[in-house]
Amino acid sequence: MNDPLVLSQICIMLQQEKSSSYKCSDYLSRTQDIGPSHREALCKWGYQTIAACQGVSKSTAVVAFGYFDRFLSSNTPAAIRALDDVTECQLAFVTCLVIALKIHSGFNVETVFVSNVITKNSYDAEEIDDMELDILHSLGWKLNGPTPHDFIDYFLEVMPGVDGTCLDLAKQLSKALVEAAVMRYTTVLHYPSEVAFASLFYALHHVDVLLMNNLSFLHMILGLDFRHHKMRLLFESMISSALDVSHDLDSNRTGTFCNPQEGEASSYA
């Protein structure tokens, strides 16, 4: 199971996520206008939007959340404006979702459609186009960094004793946990590999508690210190996520987009 090529790829991904281009900062500490609840509401709306796109998985939304967090961490003039203005912040989130649909899912997303249908004219096409360029420049056009989903796939390839039905179930559960966990701001300061490991920990505990012994191999590769306060907080967040894994995200395929100018919610199909 320990394919040298897979192990090499994991090492490359670990180096990549720790580079300055992909690291996130505690950006909400720099603003009094945006809070964790704002981000969580946007993430829920993002999942609902993705659910309305036929053939698109939640992994695309996870990619979009990553773009959004990296953008707001970049401290560029556009990011600073977004942190100081809920309207700009919401525009940035919508645009990150559009970029993810283009890059990750190969969608041809027309800006006019985004303006008229998705945002119900809360933003015009020119505002969305301008924000897209601002975000791309802020991210240094680096759009293919590793995600927790990527790490889960590779981790399960090198873990001994996990195959067949157990493999499929562990992958499904761990990715569902990730999708719930990344809505919480507490995960922003964790590397994708750490979020993936924590989700696998709880997924394997549910699938077969004996398989958790196989995590020691990944633990050694990642060099995680479970005694560290940061890791304890991540595991606490994962426990909370396990209680509400996508419960209210799949129940309704119609979402709402809040118009910040009017303080009202507009529905979309």
Side-chain angles (χ1 to χ4, degrees), residues 93-104:
F93 184 87
V94 172
T95 308
C96 285
L97 201 61
V98 169
I99 295 171
L101 283 167
K102 291 179 179 178
I103 301 298
H104 191 70

Side-chain angles (χ1 to χ4, degrees), residues 227-243:
R227 297 167 298 178
H228 196 285
H229 179 64
K230 179 183 173 184
M231 286 304 298
R232 290 203 302 271
L233 289 178
L234 175 59
F235 275 88
E236 288 173 6
S237 177
M238 200 61 67
I239 291 172
S240 298
S241 300
L243 298 176

Side-chain angles (χ1 to χ4, degrees), residues 148-149 151-152 155 174 178 191-201:
H149 285 64
F151 276 109
I152 287 170
F155 286 169
S174 56
V178 164
Y191 294 119
S193 61
E194 294 174 341
V195 176
F197 183 89
S199 70
L200 270 176
F201 181 92

